[in-house]
Amino acid sequence: MPNMPASIDMKQFWQAIGQRATGSTIVTARSHGGPAGLLGLSATHLCADPPTMMVSVDKRTSALPTILDARHFAINYLSSAQRELADIFGGKSDLKGADRFTTAAWDRLATGAPTLSEAVGVIDCELVETIERYNVVIVLGRVVATSSNPGAIPLVHFRGDYLP
């Protein structure tokens, strides 16, 4: 596969990407080895018919094998009250693996993936396809269940930090 053109400065690239506001999510799955999750700032819908979501996951992310083994994932959109949880799943904590799940209340919808009880919204997906590109795996999932909390204020990531 072709490499990124040498004329692109990576610091400038990430600065430009940081100019878009994104909903902060925790992407979760559960396999025979237990639950796993990651902070997902690249989770979005692919299409509405059929309802399909996609998440870009770095190949080095410890949760990726669980997602691939379980063949499902849930996208949990965080509320503004869950910034600490975003930091935990974003690797800014000493907690690792299943221990990350001890800091909040979790439920399940259709697939068995952990779903955050106090999330702004949850989209539960069955994995339908993966696409490997460069150092990421793009995970595509058919939506099988949803839940929402319309009164909650979302945690928005912008310019490397969170909006108040």
Side-chain angles (χ1 to χ4, degrees), residues 3-83:
N3 291 328
M4 185 175 284
S7 63
I8 301 296
D9 178 274
M10 290 308 290
K11 184 177 180 180
Q12 290 177 346
F13 171 76
W14 282 112
Q15 184 177 23
I17 291 293
Q19 300 307 306
R20 77 186 190 327
T22 62
S24 301
T25 71
I26 294 175
V27 179
T28 58
R30 178 185 302 276
S31 69
H32 63 279
L38 63 123
L39 180 65
L41 299 176
S42 65
T44 190
H45 74 286
L46 178 66
C47 64
D49 189 17
T52 307
M53 300 296 290
M54 67 182 205
V55 180
S56 178
V57 182
D58 188 297
K59 288 181 181 179
R60 299 168 295 181
T61 301
S62 62
L64 181 59
T66 302
I67 294 169
L68 298 177
D69 183 49
R71 305 292 302 164
H72 67 239
F73 60 94
I75 300 170
N76 299 271
Y77 287 92
L78 301 179
S79 77
S80 60
Q82 296 169 321
R83 182 176 178 160

Side-chain angles (χ1 to χ4, degrees), residues 63-146:
L64 181 59
T66 302
I67 294 169
L68 298 177
D69 183 49
R71 305 292 302 164
H72 67 239
F73 60 94
I75 300 170
N76 299 271
Y77 287 92
L78 301 179
S79 77
S80 60
Q82 296 169 321
R83 182 176 178 160
E84 182 179 351
L85 200 55
D87 288 343
I88 290 169
F89 278 85
K92 297 179 182 177
S93 164
D94 291 336
L95 294 175
K96 303 292 179 209
D99 290 341
R100 293 174 172 176
F101 290 85
T102 63
T103 61
W106 298 88
D107 292 317
R108 293 183 217 181
L109 293 177
T111 67
T115 58
L116 191 56
S117 301
E118 304 281 328
V120 172
V122 175
I123 303 176
D124 196 19
C125 301
E126 290 179 348
L127 191 146
V128 294
E129 184 178 355
T130 59
I131 303 166
E132 291 190 38
R133 290 292 183 271
Y134 310 108
N135 65 336
V136 300
V137 175
I138 301 163
V139 181
L140 304 179
R142 182 178 62 87
V143 177
V144 296
T146 63

